[in-house]
Amino acid sequence: ISPLGGLMIDLPPELTAFLSAAEIVEIEQLALELPDEPSRRAAKALIIEKLQTGRMDSLKYVKPPLPLREFLREGWHVVEPGKFISSWHTDAICDHLEAVIAGTIRNLLINVPPRCSKSTIVSVMWPTHTWTYRPHLKWLFSSYDEGLATGHSWEARLMLRSDWYQSNWGHVFELVHDNNQKTRYDNTKLGYRKSTSVGSAATGFGG
C-alpha cells in the first residue's frame, strides 16, 4: 500500500480493495513497529494473518454471498406482496449497482419509466444486500419527498428484520437497539443507513 522504511506492503488485491482509511493506518502502524529486517520480511504474513483471522471485522465479508439479482428474486416477497417478474432491466440495474460497490463504476445514472422497481432495487434491496458482506458501509439516501424517503428506509429495515434475512445473514451483524429509527439505524459493524429529503440536513454524518 505504501513504502515504509523500504518495505512495500503488497497485500492481495481482494483485500486492499476493501481497506478503509482506519485499517490502512493500523497496517502502517504495525509496519512501523517492525524496524528490523527480519520483522519487516514477516510484516506481510502478520498482516494477512490478522485480516484472515477476523481481527479486522469489516474485511471478513468481501464478496457477495449471492448476486444482487438473485437476492432481489429470493427476497422480493419480504417487501412486496406480488410475484416478482424478472426482466433484462432489473438484471441490468443489479449488475450496475454491484459494479458501483466493486469500484468499477463511480457515477451511475438510472433512467427507467415509473413502476419499474428502480426505487425498491436501489433504496431497499441494494443496501441490505451489500450489508450481507460489507456491513460496515454507510448509506445516505435522499428523495424529493420526506415520506417517500422514510418509506424506503422502513422497507429496508423490514428486510433486515425479516425471518428470511435473519436466517441467512443474521450472524453477520445486528441492528443497534438504541439507534434504531425509521430514518436512521446503525448496525454493530459501524455501518448505518440514513434517509433525508429536500430541506433536511444531510451534512455532518460522514465522520
Side-chain angles (χ1 to χ4, degrees), residues 2-24:
S2 62
L4 297 169
L7 169 66
M8 178 63 75
I9 305 174
D10 51 343
L11 295 177
E14 63 269 21
L15 295 179
T16 58
F18 298 99
L19 287 174
S20 69
E23 290 157 349
I24 291 175

Side-chain angles (χ1 to χ4, degrees), residues 128-150:
T128 55
H129 169 262
T130 304
W131 270 4
T132 64
Y133 64 106
R134 297 191 67 188
H136 63 286
L137 290 188
K138 299 172 174 60
W139 300 84
L140 175 64
F141 287 88
S142 180
S143 174
Y144 69 91
D145 180 74
E146 182 178 0
L148 185 61
T150 301

Side-chain angles (χ1 to χ4, degrees), residues 55-102:
R55 289 170 64 191
M56 290 182 177
D57 291 340
S58 63
L59 297 182
K60 292 176 67 177
Y61 312 100
V62 297
K63 293 183 179 180
L66 75 166
L68 177 56
R69 58 169 68 182
E70 293 183 18
F71 181 90
L72 174 64
R73 296 187 184 100
E74 295 183 18
W76 182 262
H77 68 280
V78 175
V79 295
E80 292 291 343
K83 179 182 178 181
F84 176 74
I85 300 176
S86 179
S87 179
W88 68 267
H89 81 277
T90 58
D91 287 345
I93 292 174
C94 289
D95 292 346
H96 281 72
L97 291 175
E98 285 194 294
V100 171
I101 295 297

Side-chain angles (χ1 to χ4, degrees), residues 160-205:
L160 296 174
R161 289 175 163 178
S162 68
D163 293 339
W164 175 75
Y165 194 96
Q166 287 298 311
S167 64
N168 287 284
W169 303 286
H171 64 284
V172 178
F173 65 89
E174 297 179 3
L175 293 178
V176 178
H177 296 296
D178 58 357
N179 196 5
N180 187 0
Q181 308 168 35
K182 287 183 178 180
T183 58
R184 164 71 186 258
Y185 39 87
D186 297 50
N187 67 40
T188 52
K189 299 297 183 180
L190 304 181
Y192 67 74
R193 186 195 190 282
K194 177 176 173 57
S195 63
T196 186
S197 62
V198 176
S200 299
T203 58
F205 297 96

